């Protein structure tokens, strides 16, 4: 998703959330600032762990080098 599309999606989600009716009997209190900061930090940490795992699993691997004696040559007596 390009940055323009992400900004548009964020703006649309903000407008949709602002139009949602609030429920007066919801038993949900406001989040404290330290709790909100903790949620954001944990989200960033988990995101970095996922990106790191994908990077490790997706990087190209080198093929194992075979020694000269392990190669099989056709029509060469004495080499197995």
């Amino acid at each position: 998703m390009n940055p323009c599309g992400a900004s548009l999606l964020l703006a649309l989600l903000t407008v949709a959330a602002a139009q949602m009716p609030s429920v007066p009997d919801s038993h949900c209190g406001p989040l404290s600032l330290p709790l909100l900061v903790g949620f954001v930090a944990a989200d960033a940490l988990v995101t970095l762990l996922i990106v790191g795992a994908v990077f490790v699993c997706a990087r190209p691997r080198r093929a194992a080098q075979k020694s000269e004696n392990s190669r099989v040559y056709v029509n060469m007596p004495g080499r197995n």
Side-chain angles (χ1 to χ4, degrees):
M1 180 179 285
N2 60 17
C4 183
S7 299
L8 179 62
L9 179 63
L10 184 61
L12 289 175
L13 287 174
T14 305
V15 169
Q19 293 179 356
M20 301 266 312
S22 62
V23 180
D25 229 10
S26 66
H27 302 293
C28 295
L31 294 176
S32 66
L33 185 61
L35 183 63
L36 187 60
V37 169
F39 282 147
V40 171
D43 180 47
L45 182 65
V46 169
T47 301
L48 288 175
L49 287 174
I50 291 171
V51 167
V54 168
F55 177 75
V56 168
C57 292
R59 71 176 179 209
R61 303 222 164 110
R62 291 185 184 181
Q65 297 291 331
K66 293 184 177 181
S67 67
E68 185 68 28
N69 290 333
S70 67
R71 294 186 182 172
V72 177
Y73 293 93
V74 178
N75 296 329
M76 289 190 69
R79 290 264 187 161
N80 295 334

